[in-house]
Amino acid sequence: MNKQDIFDLVIKNTREVLYDLGEHNFQYSDKLVDLGANSVDRAEIVAMTLEALNLEVPRVELAKVKNIGELVEVLYEKLQAV
């Protein structure tokens, strides 16, 4: 799976949780909080993405993530290490 595939998966899950963003043109620099995601929404988006990727990543490792692009980078690196 490449970075674009992971990005697409994050966006799919974000649209599922934040359904009012259906027409939003997502960018790697988008911050979930700026898109209206509260802490529960963000946790759900990350959990759904991790489950789809069959990954287990300690939440503390994701705490430094500031935007969707950084989330994609961390998940991609974790997938490469498996």
Side-chain angles (χ1 to χ4, degrees), residues 2-64:
N2 62 36
K3 291 179 185 179
Q4 184 62 48
D5 294 333
I6 298 169
F7 178 76
D8 292 342
L9 181 60
V10 170
I11 299 317
K12 175 187 164 288
N13 292 334
T14 301
R15 283 191 170 122
E16 191 171 320
V17 173
L18 303 173
Y19 47 87
D20 56 327
L21 294 177
E23 298 301 316
H24 181 74
N25 182 23
F26 287 90
Q27 304 295 320
Y28 278 78
S29 59
D30 284 343
K31 297 178 181 181
L32 292 174
V33 69
D34 291 345
L35 297 174
N38 61 33
S39 60
V40 174
D41 295 334
R42 294 190 307 272
E44 187 173 354
I45 292 164
V46 169
M48 291 168 66
T49 304
L50 290 173
E51 184 177 333
L53 295 171
N54 199 25
L55 273 179
E56 290 186 24
V57 179
R59 298 295 189 258
V60 69
E61 291 185 34
L62 300 173
K64 64 183 177 192

